[in-house]
Amino acid sequence: MGVIRHLRKPKILTTIQTMSEKKPLNIGLVGYGFMGRTHSNGYKRVNDFFPDVEYRPVLKAICARNEERANDFASQWGFESVETDWKALIARDDIDAIDICTPNDTHASIAIAAAEAGKMVLCEKPLARTTEESLPMVEAVERAGVANTVWYNYRRVPAVTLAKQIIESGKLGKIFHYRANFLQDWTISEELPQGGEGLWRLDAAAAGSGVTGDLLAHCIDTAIWLNGSISDVSAVTETFIKERVHTDTGEKQAVTIDDACLFHCHFANGSLGLFESTRYARGHKALYTLEINGENASIRWDLHDLNRLEYFDHSDESTVRGWRSIHISDGDHPYLDKWWVPGLCIGYEHTFVHQVADFLSSLSSGEPCKPTFRDALETARVCDAVLASAAERSWKDV
Ligand code: SOE
């Protein structure tokens, strides 16, 4: 494959739609933070690298309360217009899809209003703060029959997608164990306030929960996708710093998010799961790791080395049997025929380009772009069960 890719002739232009032939999909993005940038980059890059998709995202409007900063964002990223009220954005006839990149407490109202207005809805993870808040969102998009997806982007790291394909091929056999970590260290300082830009993640009113909804939700989404449903959980949470100044009030207020969360669980397929997440693991910035052990083979993956998949196959000849470290960069690997040539890497931002490509393809095929709101509801249920288990110090069914 590698040689073929190096030698491949350029495709004849007539087989690819020109940009003007593609169907425009007018995007209204709400929120210009870190996630607003990752999504915008996805929309901008997708047609360059996925020429087969029939749609062409148009950065029609950016919406945020701070008009000056929204204008700056629009100029930098190439949005055609600015709105300061998401209701006005949703009311516009020239917007096809609303993309929600705001703090978690705003997801439900924006998504429900967008669906009711007949707009497609793309929502940053987690779907909302709780299952209770998430369910009406699922009902709204399903009632309206609008395309929807949640940006659990790590599914679309090529190595993780390959893990899914290997598991589905049956190579692992019966699964015994699934374990995942998501470790960070950015909230260790007591001086860090809660609330406000970026720091809303420390404020339970805005975020819903701490590491459970912010980080473990990623691990849970991937776990359900790779290994099926989680049946019950037993969890421990800790809040290491009990009070922080709130950005809005300037006063010290109780911290009510979970700073760290550990849980173990049963999967419906009979395997055991072990999960850990914290923002207090000094030295770890975004160490998302996962491992799955089956009777015949095992797989492990690490976000800090995202283009590698480690694979152990017990059926290998015993003298050379061992963990293989597979560099996921070949055109045979998921998504990678769209990028460079074998041996050259892609990164974090590409996962968002992949999600846009899959979303646009889903509009052509009519197949949902996973995870849908309903898929993300299952993750919300597990998060709620985890938090309830920790609060009540008991096992909880999902
Ligand atoms: C938190 O630091 C955070 O940015 C999450 O909000 C993202 O979902 C995760 O992918 C990286 O870490």
Side-chain angles (χ1 to χ4, degrees):
M1 182 69 192
V3 174
I4 295 169
R5 292 200 63 219
H6 273 100
L7 299 182
R8 133 183 112 181
K9 289 191 185 129
K11 281 194 183 148
I12 300 162
L13 259 182
T14 51
T15 63
I16 301 174
Q17 282 176 314
T18 61
M19 284 298 268
S20 60
E21 285 167 347
K22 292 186 188 292
K23 299 177 200 162
L25 185 81
N26 292 344
I27 307 291
L29 182 78
V30 194
Y32 52 43
F34 161 38
M35 284 302 137
R37 295 194 295 129
T38 61
H39 296 195
S40 300
N41 181 59
Y43 295 124
K44 290 182 75 157
R45 292 267 64 90
V46 70
N47 291 130
D48 296 334
F49 288 93
F50 290 77
D52 299 338
V53 299
E54 291 178 337
Y55 284 84
R56 171 173 60 88
V58 179
L59 299 181
K60 208 65 184 170
I62 172 73
C63 177
R65 280 175 301 187
N66 184 323
E67 191 170 6
E68 196 184 332
R69 292 187 56 193
N71 274 320
D72 289 347
F73 190 88
S75 318
Q76 183 177 348
W77 288 92
F79 281 82
E80 291 178 15
S81 61
V82 167
E83 295 288 347
T84 52
D85 175 358
W86 58 260
K87 291 185 179 140
L89 179 74
I90 289 172
R92 278 172 58 163
D93 290 337
D94 63 347
I95 299 291
D96 301 312
I98 297 290
D99 185 359
I100 305 169
C101 293
T102 46
N104 304 344
D105 58 331
T106 60
H107 289 188
S109 41
I110 301 173
I112 292 167
E116 284 173 354
K119 312 289 186 196
M120 304 172 197
V121 196
L122 303 96
C123 187
E124 185 43 45
K125 53 58 57 178
L127 190 52
R129 289 175 293 187
T130 59
T131 305
E132 194 186 359
E133 206 171 42
S134 304
L135 182 59
M137 299 168 73
V138 178
E139 290 167 347
V141 292
E142 291 183 352
R143 202 168 38 239
V146 293
N148 59 92
T149 194
V150 181
W151 298 81
Y152 279 113
N153 61 302
Y154 297 115
R155 289 185 180 208
R156 290 177 166 88
V157 174
V160 177
T161 312
L162 181 66
K164 167 82 171 164
Q165 292 171 0
I166 295 172
I167 293 164
E168 281 188 340
S169 76
K171 283 196 171 70
L172 270 60
K174 184 173 168 46
I175 307 297
F176 297 117
H177 293 285
Y178 189 99
R179 61 186 76 79
N181 288 327
F182 206 139
L183 312 180
Q184 299 187 331
D185 71 355
W186 62 280
T187 65
I188 293 179
S189 167
E190 291 190 9
E191 305 308 314
L192 204 65
Q194 56 173 313
E197 198 170 323
L199 299 171
W200 59 264
R201 288 179 175 79
L202 308 192
D203 176 4
S209 65
V211 294
T212 301
D214 192 39
L215 302 179
L216 278 178
H218 279 301
C219 304
I220 294 165
D221 171 73
T222 323
I224 294 173
W225 188 53
L226 296 180
N227 196 37
S229 293
I230 293 174
S231 326
D232 57 2
V233 300
S234 172
V236 180
T237 57
E238 184 56 69
T239 304
F240 294 115
I241 293 181
K242 312 285 184 206
E243 287 190 320
R244 290 182 187 273
V245 170
H246 199 290
T247 309
D248 291 347
T249 61
E251 304 289 326
K252 270 207 164 176
Q253 283 178 214
V255 173
T256 54
I257 54 150
D258 43 307
D259 286 336
C261 177
L262 326 176
F263 79 92
H264 53 179
C265 66
H266 294 101
F267 284 86
N269 66 5
S271 60
L272 295 180
L274 183 61
F275 294 76
E276 179 186 7
S277 186
T278 180
R279 294 178 178 139
Y280 289 71
R282 181 58 88 203
H284 294 306
K285 306 301 170 186
L287 187 72
Y288 177 9
T289 55
L290 64 87
E291 177 162 339
I292 178 162
N293 309 127
E295 64 179 317
N296 303 324
S298 291
I299 287 174
R300 63 181 183 222
W301 173 78
D302 173 349
L303 174 58
H304 283 185
D305 198 6
L306 87 174
N307 290 301
R308 283 197 179 273
L309 194 68
E310 294 189 70
Y311 180 64
F312 180 96
D313 191 336
H314 189 66
S315 67
D316 285 348
E317 198 207 316
S318 62
T319 52
V320 291
R321 190 161 54 207
W323 281 92
R324 303 177 203 173
S325 174
I326 312 168
H327 193 232
I328 310 298
S329 67
D330 197 276
D332 291 339
H333 291 137
Y335 299 106
L336 285 160
D337 60 329
K338 301 291 187 293
W339 296 100
W340 315 117
V341 294
L344 303 186
C345 303
I346 63 166
Y348 170 74
E349 70 274 29
H350 297 80
T351 62
F352 297 90
V353 184
H354 298 164
Q355 184 137 1
V356 175
D358 289 343
F359 183 75
L360 299 179
S361 301
S362 80
L363 301 181
S364 302
S365 69
E367 290 296 315
C369 178
K370 303 218 141 223
T372 61
F373 277 27
R374 185 158 288 281
D375 298 324
L377 184 66
E378 190 173 350
T379 297
R381 286 207 171 97
V382 177
C383 290
D384 277 8
V386 163
L387 294 166
S389 163
E392 295 167 32
R393 293 173 169 255
S394 65
W395 278 88
K396 286 282 164 199
D397 290 337
V398 174

